Amino acid sequence: MGIRSVLEANFDFEIIDEFLDHYAMMTEIMEGLMVDLGSPERYHRSIEELFRIFHNIKSASGYLQIEPMMRLAAFTEDALEQLRSRDKKVNDETITWLISVADMFMQWQEDFKMDNDLTKVHFSLLILPDMEKE
């Protein structure tokens, strides 16, 4: 039984459907916002939007008891919180790490569509890059 089937067995269909719709919209815009972190003009808007996205995913996946998703979203939200106080663009290493995180969330979206088990998180996503390096 895949992730979607497990959710539908434990939660109201409307809640699952709404989560999947919002999740699809959020994963669709993640990567563009991450690339924009390299632009001083778009940095603050993008970092705030990304923080909101990961906070929402963390909250919803926590409610739905999707543990791996909730943990990675919380980890990413913490990293974004560190970046929110900065006034300079993000380095390439951080952007690459964030795009890898986005790829994981997109893989999970595919897992939902295909009703597969969630793909396991690669350990490299749980190691923060040096965000201070220029």
Side-chain angles (χ1 to χ4, degrees), residues 3-34:
I3 183 66
R4 188 177 185 131
S5 297
V6 169
L7 290 175
E8 289 173 353
N10 294 306
F11 296 95
D12 183 77
F13 174 77
E14 288 180 24
I15 292 171
I16 303 305
D17 197 43
E18 186 175 334
F19 167 74
L20 293 176
D21 286 346
H22 285 97
Y23 183 75
M25 288 187 305
M26 290 184 284
T27 57
E28 190 174 300
I29 65 171
M30 272 182 198
E31 192 168 319
L33 291 168
M34 290 168 179

